[in-house]
Amino acid sequence: MLTNRHTKSNLVAQRVQEIPASGIRKFFDLLASMEGVISLGVGEPDFTTPWHIREAAIHSLERGFTMYTSNYGTFELRQELARHLARLYEVVYDPRSELMITVGVSEALDLALRAVLNPGDEVLIPDPGYVSYMPCTVLAGGTVVPVPTRVEDDFKVAAAAIEERLTPRTKVLLLGYPNNPTGAVLDYEELARIAVVAAKHDLLVISDEIYDRLVYEREHTCFASLPGMQERTILLGGFSKAYAMTGWRVGYAAAPAEILEAMLKIHQYGALCAPIMSQMAALQALRAGEPDVRAMVAEYNQRRKVIVKGLNEIGLPTFEPRGAFYAFPSVARTGLDSDTFAEQLLIEAKVAVVPGSAFGQCGEGYVRCCYATALDQINEALDRIAAFVRRHDGGQSK
Amino acid sequence: MGLSAKESEILCTLERDPCVSTGQMATMTDLSEDEVKGIVADLKQRGIILRTRSVINWEKAGEPLVTALIEVRVTPQRDVGFDALAQRIARFPEVRSMYLVSGTYDLAVQVTGRTMQDLAMFVAGKIAPLDGVQGTVTHFLLKTYKEDGVLIEGDQQPSRLPIAP
């Protein structure tokens, strides 16, 4: 029963009220009433989890693995993960105290921010960036300081731009590369320059590397592998994108023991542990999933080339993404803002994309198109977008 | 005789989807259209690309084919081993695929026809009487679970959320 002091306006906590609603919710409602829509608005692989991984999870259920695991996650998985990170990036983490398995990277991000932020601490976040970064920072009591990135710089965040925004309250730099939504990646030298800034100003770096395996014709650099950075880095990663395992909700955090212990404290009260069958599947993925990763990356790479060329030919200038599975065309020539473009495109052409504005102010004027989509669907979507842009170009030239 | 990286990429792509246009293949592989045409022509000429065909679920189309796997035990012949007899059998148009195998029999022969009767008559009339054939065992296929790498599934694949962050 509500008492008088619970008026409608104070039922929900102030800090939650202040978080803007997700920019994509209205598209859900629109989509629900439509048929024949091609969606480039997805945020996950179109592959099903490789069968040997699914089969391993089924086998674990058959053997009766249905209980809690350690709050850290199973030791076997942490051990395998430590070997995996050492093999790929030459970073050495102690599986007993520096690695934990989480409910997707989403939880790991939330834990990291809550574990390190004091009220009013500032978090530098490249803009555009993943939709969770800003709200999770606010919920953890931090203050968001966006660091704009531009297409002219390939959407890379520059060390100088970070340095310009430092204040005495700056505590965390939150990097998300390969980037969702732009597909930008940072090369070793660029990361090294950022590392110098981080060391000089004693920043903690949260590096969300969920797309680490999805880079095209280049190598990924793990931020923690840079000299002196491991001690000040919370590395976040997962299985969702590389092994097509989004629904399993399993990710990880790697950090210095003191920070990991703090994250674990929150995790043990909030989530307890990641589902055991998902951890079993993740173990199989690490042990035998490498050929699947290579095959999927090869296919994404082909589609990437098709969609980027197609969008550019349509007249929507598109930066060449080097990682993840998104193309991020500019829709400025249509004269529509990104939200209107996405809405009209869905209604008129039945193609779903995500407005860039959902990812920060610097995403305005762009839309995100996911190419983890079958090639014939991409081709059909490109045809529809081309017709749509032709119709709206007339309006622009008036 | 090994493949170049581009040849290998083109082959893998064509095996997955033979309908990819030359233009699209060129985009995907960072080659020009002429280069793609040249490579494909060369792969055909070298006998590496044999043929392009569709995998069809005839049962669903309402015109089921009858398929049987036939185990054939044969007596190898001097100088030519299994090959001479194998090639005689392979030339019959009813034979879809055929392999020399290890184990309790020698030739694994897959045959297709319109009716079970057709196939039974074919085995009895054409294969069994051949000189050198010691015996045959015919297994009629009752249900297809997977055809050429494609699962024949009853259930619909679950779909993704159309919009996700």
Side-chain angles (χ1 to χ4, degrees), chain A residues 302 305-306 309 375, chain B residues 6-33 35-37 39-40 49:
Chain A
Q302 292 188 332
K305 290 171 187 168
V306 169
K309 182 162 182 271
L375 195 62
Chain B
K6 292 294 178 195
E7 285 173 333
S8 169
E9 187 178 0
I10 286 175
L11 285 177
C12 290
T13 307
L14 285 178
E15 192 175 34
R16 209 167 54 229
D17 180 5
C19 299
V20 172
S21 69
T22 307
Q24 193 126 77
M25 183 70 85
T27 304
M28 293 194 294
T29 53
D30 295 323
L31 294 167
S32 71
E33 289 199 32
E35 285 170 321
V36 170
K37 278 183 198 158
I39 289 175
V40 170
I49 296 175

Side-chain angles (χ1 to χ4, degrees), chain A residues 28 45 110 140 229 257 282 316 371:
Chain A
F28 264 122
D110 186 40
M229 284 302 107
L316 299 179
Y371 54 81

Side-chain angles (χ1 to χ4, degrees), chain B residues 149-164:
Chain B
V150 184
L151 281 173
I152 313 283
E153 283 181 301
D155 320 326
Q156 274 210 313
Q157 280 281 92
S159 58
R160 297 180 286 175
L161 281 180
I163 294 264

Side-chain angles (χ1 to χ4, degrees), chain B residues 15-93:
Chain B
E15 192 175 34
R16 209 167 54 229
D17 180 5
C19 299
V20 172
S21 69
T22 307
Q24 193 126 77
M25 183 70 85
T27 304
M28 293 194 294
T29 53
D30 295 323
L31 294 167
S32 71
E33 289 199 32
D34 284 343
E35 285 170 321
V36 170
K37 278 183 198 158
I39 289 175
V40 170
D42 180 57
L43 287 168
K44 284 183 177 164
Q45 202 252 325
R46 283 157 67 190
I48 292 173
I49 296 175
L50 292 176
R51 187 160 71 107
T52 301
R53 71 179 189 97
S54 304
V55 182
I56 291 169
N57 186 344
W58 282 110
E59 199 161 314
K60 195 160 191 176
E63 294 185 21
L65 281 177
V66 178
T67 304
L69 298 176
I70 304 163
E71 300 175 2
V72 185
R73 278 185 301 113
V74 302
T75 314
Q77 294 162 285
R78 187 162 190 153
D79 297 335
V80 292
F82 294 101
D83 292 351
L85 185 54
Q87 273 158 13
R88 282 193 76 159
I89 297 175
R91 287 199 176 92
F92 286 108

Side-chain angles (χ1 to χ4, degrees), chain A residues 206-217:
Chain A
I206 299 179
S207 189
D208 172 3
E209 302 183 17
I210 181 65
Y211 290 102
D212 66 335
R213 309 306 312 283
L214 306 187
V215 291
Y216 306 105
E217 295 161 18

Side-chain angles (χ1 to χ4, degrees), chain A residues 347-359:
Chain A
I347 294 169
E348 293 176 33
K350 294 194 173 183
V351 176
V353 297
V354 180
S357 53
F359 304 93

